[in-house]
Amino acid sequence: MIVEAVHRDGEHRFSKVTTAAIELVEGRGVVGDAHFGATVQHRSRVRRDPAQPNLRQVHLIHAELLDELAAKGYDVPPGLLGENVTTRGIDLLDLPTGASLHLGAEAVVTVTGLRNPCWQIDACRPGVLKEVLGRDEQGRLVRRAGIMGVVAHGGLVSSRDPVRVRLPVGPHHPLEAV
């Protein structure tokens, strides 16, 4: 389980720029990223309630999703879907709420929920939204565009850093959109 790539962007654009390393700050997020802050930074959520806590400080996507999209003919490199961390070897979508991801030597991200894919995905790469947002046999929404988390412990994170998963104690609760 590794970090494949890391990304940030100081502007509110959809995609993020791949960089050698990112710095995570406890309770705030990724230094130099537009979503850095203790309170919500996503523009649509700020309009609704700017004082709500930022449960979306760090966005993670598993590289296997990008591989799957590539196999279907979509060119979706790491960072294009707006993630801060691209991982490999971890089934992020099956983690429970409250799982801890230890990234590199020091950083820890606590998983808060699923990313809610939006129309901007198709604006970036037409057709990809239907690949990352679907319905199961019971008609429930299935979100596959990664997970969100908050920084529990800061530190530097670089590509090729190891990732360790620590599951929460007690009953596990499936991820919901945040």
Side-chain angles (χ1 to χ4, degrees), residues 31-169:
V31 173
D33 193 80
H35 299 111
F36 183 82
T39 57
V40 67
Q41 300 297 310
H42 286 75
R43 291 183 292 189
S44 64
R45 293 167 189 263
V46 167
R47 281 192 296 274
R48 284 188 294 225
D49 179 6
Q52 64 184 302
N54 187 1
L55 301 178
R56 300 164 57 95
Q57 294 172 1
V58 181
H59 175 204
L60 301 98
I61 284 184
H62 51 295
E64 292 83 358
L65 173 63
L66 306 181
D67 296 343
E68 179 185 322
L69 293 170
K72 293 180 177 184
Y74 297 102
D75 176 26
V76 183
L80 188 79
L81 295 180
E83 76 271 20
N84 299 111
V85 180
T86 309
T87 65
R88 185 168 293 281
I90 306 165
D91 193 348
L92 296 174
L93 302 177
D94 279 345
L95 292 173
T97 301
S100 295
L101 297 173
H102 296 251
L103 307 169
E106 297 180 356
V108 179
V109 172
T110 302
V111 177
T112 56
L114 295 168
R115 176 194 185 183
N116 197 21
C118 68
W119 64 269
Q120 292 180 5
I121 291 175
D122 264 358
C124 184
R125 287 291 187 273
V128 171
L129 182 60
K130 71 177 171 37
E131 300 294 337
V132 299
L133 183 63
R135 297 209 176 260
D136 66 12
E137 299 79 30
Q138 289 77 34
R140 295 178 299 226
L141 276 177
V142 176
R143 295 170 176 89
R144 302 178 54 230
I147 63 172
M148 307 305 287
V150 296
V151 180
H153 191 274
L156 292 178
V157 180
S158 303
S159 63
R160 309 309 298 168
D161 275 351
V163 178
R164 297 178 327 281
V165 176
R166 193 181 94 235
L167 298 176
V169 176

